[in-house]
Amino acid sequence: MLSQLQSFQARVRAVLRLPRENPELIQAKLAAFTRQIPIMYTLVMVNTVALAVTHYGSAPWLLTVVIPSVLNSVCLFRMILWWRSRGKILSAEHAIARLHGTIVTAGILGAGVSAWSLSLFRYGDAYVQSYVAFFMATTTIGIGFCLMHLRSAALLIMALVVIPFTIFFVSTGSMVFVATAINFVTVVVACGYVLLINYRNFENSINSTKALLIKQEELKALNDTNFRNSNIDSLTGLPNRRHFFAELDRRMAQAAADGRSLTIGILDLDGFKPINDVHGHRTGDRLLIDASLRLRAALDPSIYLARLGGDEFVIIDENETCRARIIEAGTAIADLLQAPFEIDELTIRIGSSIGFATFPSVAITAEDLFECADYALYFVKQHDRGRAVIFSAEHQASIREASLIDQALLNADLETELWIAYQPIIDTDSGRTVCFEALARWRSPTLGDVSPMRFITAAERSGSICELTPILLRKALEGAASWPADVRISFNLSALDVASPLSALKIIGIVQQSGIDAHRIDFEVTETAVMRNRSQASEALKTLKALGARISLDDFGTGYSSLSCIRELPLDKIKIDRSFVQNVETDAASQMILRTLAGLCINLKLDCVVEGVETTQQMRLLRDEGCRFMQGYLFARPMAASKVQAYLAASDNAAPAAMARA
Ligand code: C2E
Ligand code: CA
Ligand code: CA
């Protein structure tokens, strides 16, 4: 019994208390009230005046003037208070205080109205007495409905009127008043019930709106995280490739609408890969972070900077239109990145190259603009590493030319149009030709003679080099078949030729068919070709070496190979690039490099060939630095197969004589 009473008490308390933990519900109650409370107070005031007037003269002045005035003043005061705060968002504390005030006022009003109307009862005749009952019932129900959203106040006021009302009217003993009391109680109970149901619906709808809002916010946070993850580069915190292309599209559309131009610049770090290889990825990552911080700090905030991936960054500049200023800005960036980086007690130096392209002068779509900048970057990396270049009409022309070459290559009859020129490699100790390098030549019926620099590059880019190499190798070996057995042949391989064991097997097949002893063959590969896929290339080269052939590293010194990677490859020979020979007579640095490279070959027990020797003075200097094998125009230009026999016969006498003169 006691526990039932306690649980009933708890339920009553729960119904009457304000939901402090639910500020949204409190605010919703307030919002509903601001509209309903003035109606309620108006109702109370009008009804009060009406009741007072019906008793004026018959009841004492205190009951017909003073008390109604006090009641109406309280109503008016509360009404003004609510009216003034309409549309305002109150703090949670203020809102709760305001609702508490309303509950207290409801209590005072309920008790006051009950006491006042019942005390008027005895001053009227039966009609007026019925009117008192009518006044109390209608006013209470009216107030109850107006207070619908404040359950505790509504129930309190109903209880404070209905209980004294029932006791009072039942005690009169009049059947009419007893019946009125029964009617009133029934109606109030029914209304109270409906009111509770309504209130629960109101509470539920507020709570589900709140839950929906929370879900929406969670969803938004999730979307924000997704957006960040898919648009920000996690290493540097810069926008990533995806963000860049979206941004480029947007900015180009804006620039087109405003009739403005816009420049993009793709920036590539020179020498980043070997740093990554030698010092590890952690150092590489730190370097990328430091470089991105340096760039972001130095660039004007209006310039957009993103990381495309790897060691490539990109900028969008909407301010600069003058070519000279763009190059100036690019050079400033290159200088900025040239300053040493201090990472984990290491001092690291890198360079950078930049390719620019301007909208709308060279391209009008984002893809084309990017390709132009990429081409400018490719161009600067090939010709002018460490500088900035803007995509120009000449670049456009060379792209057109490249596409002409691509087309012509596609339609070429390679068997008849390709041929081989041979250039001798001389042992300067004896003056004898020890080897010929096979150099590809193409006479196209539409384009004429095309330099191997162009068509080999085009074939490498399109992948058709895989068709060219077998034809060239077969022709090269055919030409060498009639040479003396101690003269070797050197053949150039591309990256794709050493990219898989399968391509190496193809080469082996051709060598075996040629009937030439594989021990007489050198295969030349460049650092860049090998570096593209070091482990695969190393495997392919080992397969060729197992056959008996030797491997030369071509164009040595122009790439970025570190000593460690040279040691990993199965090399026999190094060919020092001709760029080091060009200035050897005048440039002390070139001499120094040549001396170091020659010394390196001796240490690594590798043969060394110097390419591009054009003058006797160069040869003399090179010999002084310890170089023995040389190739270049001084000895002979590349010649057709038919000229080789005559050359060999003549040089048997002439070359030693030339050596003697040197
Ligand atoms: P490379 O392998 O460095 O070939 C040497 C290039 O230097 C040849 O150019 C040769 O004619 C040139 N040269 C030789 N001596 C001198 C000299 O004293 N002064 C100057 N200025 N140049 C000299 P070429 O024949 O135009 O070949 C260019 C490049 O094309 C070759 O450079 C090689 O990378 C590539 N290439 C040529 N034939 C083939 C081939 O059959 N297969 C592949 N994959 N690439 C080839
Ligand atoms: Ca070569
Ligand atoms: Ca070379």
Side-chain angles (χ1 to χ4, degrees):
M1 183 65 192
L2 189 71
S3 70
Q4 275 174 333
L5 192 71
Q6 277 173 341
S7 84
F8 176 73
Q9 266 184 343
R11 272 166 61 189
V12 169
R13 218 175 294 132
V15 166
L16 294 182
R17 68 180 275 279
L18 281 173
R20 286 168 182 278
E21 69 291 345
N22 194 342
E24 288 80 7
L25 189 57
I26 300 269
Q27 292 293 348
K29 281 167 188 266
L30 268 184
F33 268 152
T34 337
R35 291 187 298 273
Q36 292 166 9
I37 285 275
I39 301 174
M40 181 188 86
Y41 285 121
T42 313
L43 179 151
V44 175
M45 287 190 295
V46 170
N47 287 6
T48 307
V49 171
L51 189 65
V53 169
T54 53
H55 287 81
Y56 190 73
S58 54
W61 194 70
L62 175 73
L63 290 180
T64 54
V65 178
V66 179
I67 292 181
S69 304
V70 171
L71 275 177
N72 277 4
S73 303
V74 173
C75 288
L76 199 64
F77 171 73
R78 295 291 302 177
M79 192 162 108
I80 292 170
L81 205 69
W82 279 98
W83 183 255
R84 281 180 46 185
S85 67
R86 73 190 186 288
K88 274 190 203 153
I89 302 278
L90 295 185
S91 69
E93 261 164 50
H94 265 97
I96 288 177
R98 176 64 60 82
L99 292 179
H100 261 300
T102 306
I103 296 172
V104 172
T105 319
I108 294 170
L109 270 181
V113 166
S114 285
W116 174 62
S117 27
L118 293 177
S119 60
L120 282 172
F121 186 78
R122 62 193 170 104
Y123 295 104
D125 56 12
Y127 283 122
V128 180
Q129 284 177 340
S130 302
Y131 176 58
V132 171
F134 183 76
F135 162 82
M136 287 178 79
T138 49
T139 310
T140 309
I141 292 165
I143 292 177
F145 268 91
C146 289
L147 288 175
M148 183 164 25
H149 298 107
L150 189 57
R151 189 170 51 180
S152 37
L155 295 179
L156 183 67
I157 210 159
M158 283 178 169
L160 283 175
V161 179
V162 92
I163 294 167
F165 182 100
T166 314
I167 296 169
F168 184 87
F169 283 100
V170 169
S171 68
T172 56
S174 152
M175 273 313 287
V176 175
F177 286 129
V178 172
T180 311
I182 292 170
N183 281 173
F184 184 39
V185 170
T186 324
V187 171
V188 164
V189 168
C191 286
Y193 184 68
V194 171
L195 202 135
L196 285 181
I197 292 176
N198 255 325
Y199 178 80
R200 203 172 309 138
N201 290 345
F202 170 72
E203 199 176 39
N204 286 346
S205 106
I206 297 299
N207 283 342
S208 54
T209 312
K210 179 181 167 186
L212 201 73
L213 278 176
I214 292 175
K215 270 271 159 297
Q216 267 176 358
E217 245 156 53
E218 280 172 5
L219 205 70
K220 189 177 171 300
L222 204 69
N223 276 344
D224 287 353
T225 319
N226 274 348
F227 179 81
R228 244 194 97 72
N229 287 348
S230 54
N231 285 275
I232 300 289
D233 169 51
S234 57
L235 181 69
T236 59
L238 290 176
N240 64 10
R241 190 183 189 90
R242 175 204 292 255
H243 191 273
F244 162 71
F245 278 106
E247 194 63 17
L248 183 60
D249 270 337
R250 194 182 67 73
R251 292 192 188 212
M252 277 172 73
Q254 192 59 53
D258 302 348
R260 280 185 292 113
S261 65
L262 163 162
T263 303
I264 65 167
I266 308 178
L267 188 156
D268 187 290
L269 302 184
D270 297 328
F272 174 74
K273 206 178 165 326
I275 286 168
N276 224 4
D277 289 348
V278 174
H279 300 295
H281 285 265
R282 221 179 69 85
T283 307
D285 284 354
R286 283 284 309 280
L287 182 62
L288 287 173
I289 294 170
D290 287 3
S292 68
L293 287 175
R294 207 182 267 187
L295 281 169
R296 191 57 283 176
L299 289 172
D300 187 273
S302 67
I303 294 178
Y304 173 90
L305 171 70
R307 180 178 169 222
L308 288 172
D311 58 350
E312 274 194 347
F313 296 84
V314 66
I315 60 170
I316 306 178
D317 186 352
E318 292 173 284
N319 314 319
E320 222 41 88
T321 47
C322 154
R323 293 179 76 84
R325 296 281 296 277
I326 292 170
I327 290 294
E328 211 173 276
T331 312
I333 292 176
D335 290 346
L336 185 76
L337 292 174
Q338 208 134 41
F341 289 87
E342 306 289 339
I343 295 170
D344 291 342
E345 291 165 18
L346 282 171
T347 302
I348 294 177
R349 281 171 199 277
I350 49 163
S352 64
S353 308
I354 310 181
F356 286 107
T358 301
F359 163 86
S361 56
V362 298
I364 52 168
T365 69
E367 287 74 30
D368 289 353
L369 188 67
F370 185 79
E371 259 177 35
C372 289
D374 201 34
Y375 184 86
L377 175 67
Y378 164 80
F379 183 88
V380 76
K381 284 229 155 215
Q382 299 280 316
H383 300 97
D384 226 354
R385 215 170 250 270
R387 311 279 303 249
V389 157
I390 307 182
F391 186 85
S392 64
E394 292 96 77
H395 296 141
Q396 198 96 52
S398 55
I399 287 178
R400 216 170 295 128
E401 189 201 77
S403 94
L404 280 180
I405 291 176
D406 285 346
Q407 275 304 314
L409 258 183
L410 217 58
N411 301 321
D413 175 1
L414 297 173
E415 280 294 341
T416 51
E417 292 171 28
L418 288 177
W419 60 281
I420 300 290
Y422 298 91
Q423 187 180 30
I425 295 170
I426 315 292
D427 173 358
T428 56
D429 279 356
S430 64
R432 294 195 179 273
T433 296
V434 289
C435 181
F436 282 94
E437 180 176 3
L439 294 162
R441 296 292 178 259
W442 177 33
R443 175 157 294 171
S444 154
T446 49
L447 302 174
D449 284 326
V450 183
S451 140
M453 289 298 251
R454 295 193 191 285
F455 78 82
I456 295 282
T457 314
E460 283 174 340
R461 206 177 42 229
S462 70
S464 65
I465 189 75
C466 296
E467 280 172 62
L468 263 69
T469 301
I471 299 173
L472 290 170
L473 179 59
R474 199 165 28 73
K475 286 182 182 249
L477 296 179
E478 260 169 34
S482 55
W483 300 348
D486 60 345
V487 178
R488 306 179 61 80
I489 171 150
S490 198
F491 185 82
N492 293 284
L493 293 178
S494 291
L496 280 178
D497 299 323
V498 290
S500 72
L502 195 74
S503 37
L505 287 177
K506 243 191 204 172
I507 291 169
I508 290 172
I510 296 166
V511 171
Q512 285 170 340
Q513 272 176 12
S514 75
I516 288 199
D517 184 355
H519 290 91
R520 282 177 61 195
I521 305 174
D522 290 338
F523 285 108
E524 298 188 9
V525 280
T526 60
E527 290 169 75
T528 28
V530 176
M531 285 309 142
R532 236 182 265 173
N533 191 339
R534 212 153 82 188
S535 56
Q536 286 278 27
S538 191
E539 282 311 304
L541 293 180
K542 277 179 191 149
T543 316
L544 293 175
K545 213 172 147 140
L547 191 70
R550 291 200 196 168
I551 310 297
S552 306
L553 189 64
D554 204 357
D555 301 347
F556 185 64
T558 56
Y560 280 101
S561 26
S562 56
L563 283 178
S564 68
C565 82
I566 293 178
R567 233 180 281 134
E568 265 175 42
L569 294 170
L571 298 179
D572 302 287
K573 195 184 286 184
I574 274 174
K575 293 187 80 175
I576 298 176
D577 191 69
R578 68 166 173 275
S579 55
F580 297 107
V581 182
Q582 263 162 14
N583 311 318
V584 78
E585 289 134 306
T586 49
D587 183 19
S590 286
Q591 278 175 26
M592 183 61 197
I593 290 170
L594 272 163
R595 187 176 311 153
T596 313
L597 293 180
L600 185 75
C601 291
I602 293 167
N603 282 335
L604 295 172
K605 300 199 171 50
L606 297 172
D607 278 347
C608 170
V609 176
V610 187
E611 301 180 312
V613 183
E614 292 182 354
T615 66
T616 28
Q617 203 192 349
Q618 283 171 350
M619 180 180 74
R620 214 176 292 140
L621 274 164
L622 288 165
R623 280 186 60 78
D624 288 347
E625 299 303 346
C627 302
R628 176 175 167 191
F629 297 101
M630 296 181 202
Q631 175 183 2
Y633 294 167
L634 171 68
F635 311 101
R637 292 198 171 232
M639 61 192 85
S642 56
K643 302 269 168 58
V644 170
Q645 293 293 355
Y647 163 80
L648 280 175
S651 67
D652 262 354
N653 311 319
M659 291 309 112
R661 278 201 306 279

